[in-house]
Amino acid sequence: MKKKSEKTWEEQFDRITEDNDGHFGHNVEVNKKYLKKLLSVGEDIGALEVLDEYTIRITLPSCGMIDPVYRENMLLHLLTYGPIPSKCIFNKKKDQLTVEWHY
């Protein structure tokens, strides 16, 4: 649950890693640099939300708002560069991708 004082995914990430002895991901290390890169290959296409110590949610904008290649770049990066997620769930109605690093 997002606190009112937390405005960015970076703040959420910092709080969660603080509570988790500096770790994000279960039996794998995901860092802030990786998440920044993930957003940058997609041209900052999505709103990223850190849900817990191993889960993020990316809300993608509609295809009409951006070139679809940016969505594809972000998804390809997510699925081909380590650490590769253990679980990805796409909610078509909300256009959200929930990603877990839980091995």
Side-chain angles (χ1 to χ4, degrees):
M1 187 96 186
K2 196 174 183 180
K3 292 181 182 178
K4 289 183 181 183
S5 63
E6 293 177 351
K7 296 179 182 169
T8 66
W9 70 266
E10 288 104 336
E11 292 169 334
Q12 294 170 353
F13 185 88
D14 290 341
R15 181 187 55 80
I16 285 173
T17 54
E18 251 179 47
D19 295 344
N20 241 351
D21 296 326
H23 297 285
F24 184 85
H26 186 257
N27 291 330
V28 66
E29 241 351 273
V30 178
N31 59 33
K32 196 186 290 189
K33 183 178 176 181
Y34 174 82
L35 296 177
K36 284 181 183 181
K37 178 68 175 173
L38 178 63
L39 287 175
S40 72
V41 296
E43 296 291 316
D44 291 327
I45 62 169
L48 188 130
E49 185 180 357
V50 181
L51 303 179
D52 58 34
E53 66 271 14
Y54 53 82
T55 309
I56 64 169
R57 181 182 302 136
I58 302 169
T59 303
L60 303 165
S62 67
C63 287
M65 293 178 65
I66 61 162
D67 187 342
V69 75
Y70 293 128
R71 288 168 65 113
E72 293 168 7
N73 286 345
M74 194 253 325
L75 295 172
L76 282 172
H77 180 80
L78 182 66
L79 297 174
T80 57
Y81 291 96
I84 296 172
S86 58
K87 185 176 185 181
C88 295
I89 301 169
F90 183 66
N91 182 327
K92 187 175 180 178
K93 288 183 180 185
K94 294 181 180 181
D95 213 8
Q96 292 179 331
L97 182 65
T98 303
V99 183
E100 287 185 11
W101 287 271
H102 193 289
Y103 291 97

